[in-house]
């Protein structure tokens, strides 16, 4: 996560694209040299955005951070919600978790339901294509075995 320690790199570009996916929301521009949190930037003014579909309160989404009956336990298991990051501890600023990879030009959840990490797993199932006798089938042109897959 070099973006968090002030080192210049382009690994955080996708999280800084505008407009935000599925919206017309334009992020504040974040130059590569200002992505890292260790780089001082007094004038940083990110755009606030959480999608209407998330604000509608579906059961998979957290309430707004400002709601009085909501006080998430960041960096730990919070009831049935895992708020620990696979990348280690993340900082909390003004009661909100900060993206450990650096500035994105946006605050709020966007399309994400949770405050903090939003864990997801996308299974991929593979198998070798076989004939009715169970032998692997080879591609007629390449001569290589044919790998079949199902993915989300």
């Amino acid at each position: 996560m070099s973006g968090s320690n002030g080192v210049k790199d382009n690994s955080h570009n996708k999280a800084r694209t505008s407009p935000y996916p599925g919206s017309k929301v334009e992020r504040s521009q974040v130059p590569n040299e200002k992505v890292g949190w260790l780089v001082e930037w007094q004038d940083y003014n990110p755009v606030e955005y959480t999608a209407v579909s998330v604000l509608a309160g579906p059961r998979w989404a957290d309430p707004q951070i400002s709601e009085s009956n909501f006080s998430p336990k960041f960096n730990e298991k919070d009831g049935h919600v895992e708020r620990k990051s696979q990348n280690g501890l993340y900082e909390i600023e003004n009661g909100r978790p900060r993206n450990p990879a650096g500035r994105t030009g946006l605050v709020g959840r966007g399309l994400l339901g949770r405050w903090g990490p939003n864990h997801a797993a996308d299974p991929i199932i593979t198998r070798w294509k076989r004939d009715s006798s169970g032998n692997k089938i080879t591609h007629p042109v390449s001569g290589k075995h044919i790998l079949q897959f199902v993915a989300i």
Side-chain angles (χ1 to χ4, degrees):
M1 295 283 212
S2 59
S4 62
N5 64 14
V7 175
K8 279 192 212 177
D9 75 12
N10 292 323
S11 65
H12 201 50
N13 277 340
K14 246 184 166 178
R16 294 185 285 141
T17 59
S18 279
Y20 185 87
S23 79
K24 294 180 180 176
V25 175
E26 293 287 331
R27 300 172 184 267
S28 296
Q29 293 296 308
V30 179
N32 288 341
E33 65 274 7
K34 300 277 190 177
V35 169
W37 292 114
L38 296 180
V39 176
E40 195 165 324
W41 189 8
Q42 296 290 330
D43 296 330
Y44 181 53
N45 188 23
V47 173
E48 173 80 37
Y49 176 65
T50 300
V52 173
S53 59
V54 174
L55 293 174
R59 64 186 188 106
W60 48 264
D62 288 335
Q64 279 295 82
I65 204 88
S66 58
E67 288 191 21
S68 60
N69 62 342
F70 180 61
S71 54
K73 296 175 183 157
F74 293 119
N75 288 304
E76 62 182 274
K77 183 90 168 179
D78 183 13
H80 71 283
V81 178
E82 181 59 79
R83 295 191 194 277
K84 278 197 251 182
S85 171
Q86 302 291 338
N87 298 320
L89 297 178
Y90 50 91
E91 306 260 336
I92 309 302
E93 185 177 283
N94 300 321
R96 295 175 174 212
R98 207 161 65 165
N99 186 330
R103 295 179 178 97
T104 65
L106 187 107
V107 293
R109 291 175 286 165
L111 287 166
L112 301 175
R114 300 280 181 213
W115 289 100
N118 282 259
H119 302 287
D122 295 326
I124 299 173
I125 301 167
T126 63
R127 71 175 183 186
W128 293 111
K129 186 173 184 179
R130 297 179 185 270
D131 63 21
S132 58
S133 301
N135 300 311
K136 290 181 186 175
I137 296 176
T138 56
H139 189 273
V141 176
S142 70
K144 295 181 178 182
H145 296 298
I146 299 172
L147 183 67
Q148 297 176 315
F149 73 96
V150 177
I152 294 177

